[in-house]
Amino acid sequence: MNIKISGLRSGLNYNDMLNPITGGFIAEIEEKLGCKLTMSDIDDYDCDLKLIFIQSGGSENLFLQNVDKLKEPYYLLTNGSNNSLAASLEIMTYITSNGKNGEILHGDVAYVADRIKTLVMTEKLKKSLSETVFGVMGHPSDWLIASVPSYEEATKKLGVTFKDISLDEVKQEYERTLMVNKDLLPGVFDDAEKTKALRTFGALKTIAEKYGLSGFTVRCFDLLKPLATTGCAGLALLNDEGITAACEGDIAALISMHIVKLLTGQPSFQANPSRISPADNTMVLAHCTIPLAMTDDLRLDTHFESGTGVAIKGYLREEDVTIFRLSADLKNYFVSDGKIIRNLDEPDLCRTQILVKLEEDVSDILKKPCGNHHIVFYGHHAEDIRRVMRSIL
């Protein structure tokens, strides 16, 4: 964590005239954080998080004198002496009454340090999202009637921007993509089908690089006839390579997957909830585009709905996972820690199939769903998701 701190202190005659920006209160916070707070000039924002330490009462006018050098949101660090909190309350009232955002960081050391960790995570996420360009290749699939956020609202809330790309461009790039590396798809399968799947992968990757996309979603079912293949394997491989790739034109799922990648550095699995059991709080999730890096073992199969192309039948590790889905209105989300109980092999579901036991009440998905596709990724990260979602939504 790269955290920088600048101090504001009046010249009033307090008992503790030293009240230094190092040592004491600050040293205790550093110990809890496990890192140093770097002293910096008031206008130095080259960091993950900038703190303004209000060291004493009477600092209000010093804040006003420096406000043009400061950036929103304003994070005011306070302690319990020298009217530090009193001055911070006056400053924060000024900030909010002028329509600006900020927060006073005050309380016991453990609370303040924990809150700083959350703010670092949130500010890093917001910065990365502000640099994110998403591609939408074709329109969202017709059945996604509740998964299409407003571009304007997504840009306003999250900072992401969008680039509409026609499927004709995907088809043209597919025709130009002739050389493929068949080693990318391990396992025995029809050689011609592997070649078509890898040409699709190459076409999608070239377009993503051409437009500088951090991620994209594609109306993949409309590729079935013109390309005589599916995007399943291509999307799986692109997620392995760090380009967030979602299928069916599901923009809300794409945003959810990219937030997961930015927070954890992991690829994730976009899956259909296929069965939910409130009795034992489990859910079966299945789809055809599992990133290969998430599998313990895999075999190649056809795309479930069409019986064509190359899809991934992946077997996941039976360990802790998190389930996440952001709603299209960007106001709600579902998140829960859980554990993969077992992999399934049923003929009437998409190729990769897992049974997951959740910690949150699974019936919430039935009562107030945030959409169809849910995002699965390894580890327990639900609390981190909640913390950043509370700050950015």
Side-chain angles (χ1 to χ4, degrees):
M1 291 184 287
N2 179 12
I3 306 169
K4 291 187 176 178
I5 182 169
S6 302
L8 293 177
R9 178 195 172 99
S10 75
L12 297 176
N13 184 27
Y14 287 99
N15 290 330
D16 176 16
M17 284 303 295
L18 293 176
N19 192 16
I21 203 166
T22 58
F25 174 65
I26 299 299
E28 292 177 25
I29 291 175
E30 290 174 332
E31 184 178 356
K32 289 288 185 183
L33 289 173
C35 72
K36 290 288 185 182
L37 305 185
T38 304
M39 288 186 292
S40 71
D41 293 335
I42 198 79
D43 58 353
D44 182 358
Y45 276 80
D46 183 19
C47 55
D48 297 326
L49 184 70
K50 177 63 176 284
L51 303 175
I52 308 300
F53 184 19
I54 307 301
Q55 296 174 268
S56 72
S59 298
E60 295 87 339
N61 272 314
L62 288 175
F63 178 85
L64 284 184
Q65 292 167 22
N66 288 280
V67 72
D68 291 340
K69 301 176 183 178
L70 299 172
K71 296 180 182 179
E72 190 179 7
Y74 307 96
Y75 295 119
L76 308 183
L77 181 62
T78 77
N79 61 18
S81 63
N82 296 339
N83 286 333
S84 170
L85 177 59
S88 297
L89 290 168
E90 186 72 12
I91 294 168
M92 190 55 63
T93 303
Y94 172 85
I95 289 169
T96 56
S97 65
N98 281 276
K100 304 288 187 180
N101 294 314
E103 180 179 340
I104 298 171
L105 304 177
H106 181 79
D108 63 62
V109 169
Y111 168 81
V112 172
D114 190 59
R115 186 64 188 143
I116 288 173
K117 288 179 182 177
T118 297
L119 292 174
V120 168
M121 190 164 46
T122 302
E123 291 302 313
K124 288 174 71 173
L125 176 63
K126 287 164 63 176
K127 184 177 186 297
S128 295
L129 288 172
S130 72
E131 299 167 350
T132 292
V133 180
F134 285 137
V136 181
M137 301 182 190
H139 300 292
S141 296
D142 295 340
W143 49 85
L144 295 180
I145 61 174
S147 297
V148 187
S150 156
Y151 285 6
E152 293 77 11
E153 189 65 20
T155 299
K156 179 181 175 182
K157 274 197 171 183
L158 303 176
V160 300
T161 56
F162 296 87
K163 171 68 177 176
D164 287 319
I165 300 163
S166 74
L167 287 182
D168 285 339
E169 186 167 352
V170 178
K171 297 169 194 173
Q172 291 164 10
E173 196 58 54
Y174 175 87
E175 295 301 327
R176 286 192 286 264
T177 305
L178 301 177
M179 301 298 293
V180 299
N181 178 6
K182 293 176 186 174
D183 292 338
L184 291 173
L185 286 176
V188 177
F189 204 72
D190 182 89
D191 195 63
E193 292 299 329
K194 270 192 180 185
T195 298
K196 288 188 288 185
L198 289 166
R199 288 177 68 189
T200 305
F201 160 68
L204 295 171
K205 182 176 180 179
T206 297
I207 292 172
E209 291 173 345
K210 174 183 176 180
Y211 292 109
L213 305 179
S214 301
F216 67 87
T217 184
V218 60
R219 187 181 171 100
C220 43
F221 276 76
D222 282 18
L223 297 176
L224 287 170
K225 287 187 178 179
L227 303 188
T229 189
T230 68
C232 304
L235 298 177
L237 291 170
L238 285 162
N239 277 301
D240 278 339
E241 292 195 0
I243 298 173
T244 306
C247 55
E248 300 180 36
D250 190 335
I251 299 172
L254 170 64
I255 296 172
S256 303
M257 292 173 75
H258 199 59
I259 287 172
V260 167
K261 177 180 175 294
L262 293 175
L263 283 178
T264 70
Q266 294 188 48
S268 57
F269 177 34
Q270 173 189 348
N272 293 326
S274 298
R275 290 197 300 273
I276 286 176
S277 174
D280 58 4
N281 215 49
T282 61
M283 175 164 61
V284 173
L285 298 112
H287 228 206
C288 294
T289 60
I290 182 76
L292 277 61
M294 292 184 68
T295 66
D296 234 6
D297 192 12
L298 64 90
R299 63 179 172 82
L300 303 181
D301 204 334
T302 58
H303 175 237
F304 169 62
E305 287 89 347
S306 65
T308 61
V310 181
I312 312 299
K313 168 65 176 176
Y315 298 89
L316 280 70
R317 301 187 295 276
E318 294 178 2
E319 58 184 54
D320 293 342
V321 290
T322 306
I323 313 295
F324 175 51
R325 167 76 190 203
L326 181 63
S327 66
D329 63 7
L330 307 179
K331 294 179 180 178
N332 301 293
Y333 59 91
F334 175 84
V335 68
S336 177
D337 289 328
K339 185 172 184 178
I340 297 176
I341 303 302
R342 64 179 177 273
N343 292 270
L344 305 177
D345 194 7
E346 300 183 8
D348 58 349
L349 296 177
C350 294
R351 302 311 183 192
T352 298
Q353 310 163 13
I354 52 173
L355 175 66
V356 180
K357 187 172 182 63
L358 279 67
E359 292 189 2
E360 298 298 315
D361 188 349
V362 74
S363 65
D364 288 347
I365 298 175
L366 300 176
K367 296 171 185 174
K368 293 182 179 179
C370 292
N372 168 30
H373 297 124
H374 281 59
I375 310 308
V376 184
F377 54 108
Y378 286 118
H380 279 175
H381 303 278
E383 185 54 34
D384 285 344
I385 295 283
R386 290 188 194 98
R387 288 181 177 193
V388 298
M389 288 297 103
R390 283 194 290 263
S391 297
I392 68 176
L393 297 187

